[in-house]
Each structure stands twice: as structure tokens, then as C-alpha cells.
Amino acid sequence: MERIERIREFGGWLDRYRHDSDSCHCSMTFSVYLPPRAESAPVPAVYFLSGLTCTDDNVRVKAGAQRYAADLGLALVMPDTSPRGDGVADAPERYDLGQGAGFYVNATRQPWAAHYRMYDYVNQELPALVERELPLIPGRRSITGHSMGGHGALISALRNPGLYRSVSAFAPICNPVECGWGRGCLGAYLGDDTASWKEWDATELIRAGAQPIPLLIDQGVDDEFLRDGQLRPETLSRACEEHDFPLTLRMHPGYDHSYHFIATFIGEHLAYHARALAKA
């Protein structure tokens, strides 16, 4: 992988890399924050999956996460939300499909299947690459994300028991098979077999008996996408209650879907992950 940017922050380094992806069959970009502790000892990593329309730049600029990661001794790994570039399928008339909207699934339907394999990229290729090329990140991982990225974090943890020490999410899309965003993208990427969509839905994975892992979710009560039914945390909560699945769902009056909301609670999420990553 090629380092294309390096910025000094809070005693550590914010680096940006480009590499050719075997999963997505294109050039991919991601950022890594290494805290000061990484200069002398290995550090665990928290993966942050961003939401619709975003790149790695949104979280590293707007969330304020690096300050907390520096204090807690955590690396942050921040991938893009989809493959990009010439020759990569896109729907330029839509913000919720194509480049910037990979939905963290492995597409099976053309023209998306050739490049849109963000699930494999996030859970297999990227960790292997980071841990091989940056030996101070040895393989202790947690995962979080926002909106579409919150959906990605939840399904990544639920489908891969033991891969992540902990999982959290900010305003995630909790039940995509029952919301407009999810139906539009899952139908495009996976085809018309709606039963297969459930493999990419946190609520449906819990209903199907996913191995329990504690979930921490923060949701703004004044989130416009909560009001229009895109996020559906109440459905996830009901599934967790019915299946004795550990969930902490915190509803915050006055907060919306923006990075102002994420920045308010990112420190608590990173502390939550740091505790889990410190366990033997």
C-alpha cells in the first residue's frame, strides 16, 4: 500500500493510504490514526465505517475521534464506503446507490458484482493488509459506524463471531429489509430474492440466532431519518428483547443525524471499545 498523506495530530500520526484491492478490483483509499503509544508498543484498532455519500475524510475531519484515540491508545482504521473510479458501476442520479453507497454487502447482481464487495473488503482484506503492513496494529479489533456504516458494523460483528471484541453504532440502519434505503440498495446489489437480503440485516440476524455480543447504539431523537422510518431501532430493540440479546440503546433528545451528534458521543464509544480491547 502507498502512503499518500501524513498529518501530525495529538502526538500521533494520521496517515492516508491507497492500494489495489483484490476484493473490489479497483484502487481503494483508507485512513489510519496511530496514537502516540504506537511509537513504542502495539495498539488495538477500532474500525469506523462511514455512512451514505461519505469517504474516510468525513470521520477523520468531523468526529473529533483522534483526540480520544490518542488518550486511550487506540488506532483508528477508517475505510471508504464503496469502490470508486473509472469503470466502477455507479448511479450518478442517486445518492443512495453506487459510489458512496456500497452498503457493506457483497453484491451478486450485475453491474455491481464486479466491484461492490465491501463486506469482504472490510472484514477480510483490509484487516489483513493493515496488520501485515503496520505491525504495531497486531489484530485486536473492534468496530463501529454511522448510519449505513452503523449497519455495516452491526452485520460485520454479528456474522463474524470472535472477529471483533466489541461493536457499537451511531444511528444505524437497523432493519434494511424494511426501509426504503435498504430495499433500494439490497434489491439492486442482490437481486429480487428478498429472503437472501436477511443475511445483511442486523435485526434479521438476531432473529435467526446470531451469537450474542453486546450492542451499544446511540440514536438522536430529532434525527430526520429516524422520523421517516429509515433507521428502525425500535425493531432491532424488539428483536433483542425477544431473543435475550444484549443491547444498550440510548435515545438522545435534540440530536440529529449529523457529525455534531457523532462528535458528542464518540469519546464514550471509544472508551467502551478500549475497555473491551483491554480484556485478555
Side-chain angles (χ1 to χ4, degrees):
M1 61 190 192
E2 175 193 8
R3 189 169 67 197
I4 57 176
E5 187 177 33
R6 167 159 269 212
I7 302 169
R8 189 73 159 162
E9 282 190 336
F10 303 105
W13 291 100
L14 177 64
D15 294 327
R16 200 176 210 179
Y17 295 95
R18 182 186 297 122
H19 73 108
D20 292 330
S21 168
D22 292 332
S23 300
C24 298
H25 301 105
C26 64
S27 178
M28 294 292 288
T29 300
F30 65 96
S31 291
V32 176
Y33 177 70
L34 288 172
R37 193 175 303 174
E39 295 184 1
S40 59
V43 294
V46 175
Y47 285 69
F48 188 101
L49 307 186
S50 293
L52 283 167
T53 75
C54 293
T55 69
D56 58 310
D57 206 35
N58 295 75
V59 61
R60 69 184 201 146
V61 171
K62 298 179 179 180
Q66 292 91 298
R67 175 167 64 89
Y68 297 104
D71 292 341
L72 293 165
L74 297 174
L76 301 175
V77 181
M78 298 161 279
D80 202 347
T81 47
S82 77
R84 298 180 193 269
D86 295 339
V88 175
D90 196 14
E93 73 282 2
R94 293 180 56 176
Y95 75 96
D96 60 344
L97 182 68
Q99 296 188 32
F103 240 80
Y104 301 102
V105 303
N106 287 339
T108 58
R109 189 179 183 187
Q110 298 299 339
W112 314 102
H115 299 283
Y116 284 75
R117 302 189 64 82
M118 288 300 294
Y119 175 80
D120 281 354
Y121 179 74
V122 165
N123 293 290
Q124 297 177 20
E125 182 176 2
L126 184 59
L129 177 68
V130 167
E131 291 159 19
R132 182 178 69 245
E133 299 295 330
L134 301 175
L136 287 172
I137 302 179
R140 284 180 293 146
R141 311 174 204 94
S142 291
I143 192 165
T144 187
H146 171 231
S147 192
M148 180 187 72
H151 144 79
L154 293 177
I155 64 168
S156 293
L158 293 171
R159 288 173 57 118
N160 295 281
L163 186 62
Y164 301 101
R165 298 284 187 94
S166 54
V167 57
S168 70
F170 298 88
I173 302 171
C174 295
N175 191 199
V177 302
E178 297 294 344
C179 77
W181 280 344
R183 288 194 297 267
C185 285
L186 296 180
Y189 295 142
L190 304 175
D192 298 330
D193 179 10
T194 57
S196 70
W197 300 0
K198 295 181 179 181
E199 300 176 17
W200 309 98
D201 182 305
T203 298
E204 296 295 340
L205 290 169
I206 290 168
R207 287 173 174 163
Q211 182 174 314
I213 180 174
L215 307 181
L216 170 63
I217 295 176
D218 278 323
Q219 174 65 62
V221 173
D222 289 356
D223 186 322
E224 62 272 33
F225 301 115
L226 175 68
R227 290 195 299 266
D228 69 11
Q230 298 283 19
L231 306 180
R232 300 177 66 85
E234 71 285 353
T235 309
L236 178 70
S237 179
R238 188 160 54 248
C240 288
E241 183 177 353
E242 292 170 352
H243 292 81
D244 196 26
F245 203 99
L247 167 66
T248 300
L249 173 60
R250 308 192 302 184
M251 304 296 293
H252 301 282
Y255 286 93
D256 60 15
H257 199 71
S258 72
Y259 268 87
H260 299 289
F261 163 62
I262 298 172
T264 302
F265 299 104
I266 189 69
E268 295 177 32
H269 280 240
L270 292 181
Y272 165 82
H273 293 302
R275 290 191 294 271
L277 289 162
K279 295 178 180 177

